[in-house]
C-alpha cells in the first residue's frame, strides 16, 4: 500500500479547500463589518434621538404641594387667561394649562367663578 492516510492521498485538494474557505470568509467579513457596522450605528443613533424626544414630550413635571399657589377664579376668567398671567415667562401656555388641569384633577378644561385653583410653580 503506497498511501496510508487520506491527507497523503489528496494533499493538494485539502490545501486548496482551506485556501478557498479562508478567501470566502475574508470576503464575507469585510463588507459585512463595514456596511453593517455603519448601518447599525446610524440605526442606534436614530432610535436614541427619537427616544429622547418622546421622553421629553411625555415627561410630566412633578409638582409638590409646597410648590403651588392658590387662586380663586373670578367671573369671566378662563383657564387660558389664568395660565397666561401666571406661567413662567418662556413656558408654553398649553403646558402650564396641562399642569393646572393635572394638579387640580379637572376632567374638563372649563373653570367657574369662585372655584379654587392650585397653580403650579415650574
Amino acid at each position: 500500500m503506497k498511501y496510508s492516510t487520506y491527507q497523503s492521498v489528496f494533499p493538494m485538494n485539502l490545501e486548496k479547500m482551506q485556501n478557498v474557505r479562508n478567501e470566502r470568509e475574508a470576503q464575507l467579513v469585510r463588507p459585512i463589518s463595514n456596511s453593517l457596522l455603519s448601518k447599525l450605528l446610524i440605526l442606534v443613533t436614530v432610535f436614541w434621538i427619537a427616544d429622547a424626544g418622546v421622553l421629553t414630550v411625555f415627561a410630566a413635571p412633578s409638582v409638590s404641594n409646597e410648590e403651588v399657589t392658590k387662586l380663586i377664579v373670578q367671573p369671566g376668567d378662563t383657564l387660558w387667561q389664568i395660565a397666561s398671567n401666571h406661567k413662567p415667562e418662556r413656558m408654553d401656555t398649553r403646558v402650564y394649562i396641562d399642569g393646572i388641569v393635572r394638579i387640580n384633577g379637572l376632567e374638563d378644561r372649563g373653570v367657574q367663578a369662585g372655584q379654587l385653583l392650585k397653580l403650579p410653580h415650574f
Side-chain angles (χ1 to χ4, degrees):
M1 184 175 205
K2 189 173 180 182
Y3 298 105
S4 62
T5 64
Y6 177 80
Q7 290 181 350
S8 63
V9 175
F10 300 105
M12 295 298 287
N13 288 339
L14 181 61
E15 289 177 15
K16 286 181 182 178
M17 287 174 49
Q18 287 176 345
N19 289 340
V20 168
R21 180 184 300 162
N22 290 341
E23 288 175 13
R24 285 183 185 168
E25 287 175 359
Q27 288 174 354
L28 288 175
V29 170
R30 274 187 231 124
I32 288 176
S33 63
N34 292 339
S35 66
L36 186 61
L37 184 61
S38 63
K39 289 177 183 176
L40 184 61
L41 182 62
I42 290 170
L43 188 64
V44 167
T45 304
V46 167
F47 277 121
W48 181 70
I49 291 170
D51 187 41
V54 168
L55 290 177
T56 302
V57 168
F58 289 111
S62 61
V63 178
S64 69
N65 289 336
E66 298 155 2
E67 297 178 357
V68 296
T69 302
K70 294 182 180 179
L71 172 84
I72 297 176
V73 178
Q74 300 301 314
D77 282 351
T78 64
L79 201 52
W80 186 270
Q81 292 170 335
I82 294 169
S84 295
N85 292 334
H86 293 86
K87 71 178 180 66
E89 185 178 323
R90 292 197 169 122
M91 180 178 252
D92 186 3
T93 305
R94 294 169 291 193
V95 173
Y96 195 74
I97 289 173
D98 287 339
I100 294 172
V101 168
R102 188 177 53 255
I103 68 169
N104 287 287
L106 302 176
E107 291 182 15
D108 59 0
R109 293 179 180 252
V111 291
Q112 297 178 358
Q115 184 177 1
L116 180 65
L117 286 180
K118 299 174 194 171
L119 301 178
H121 291 263
F122 290 98

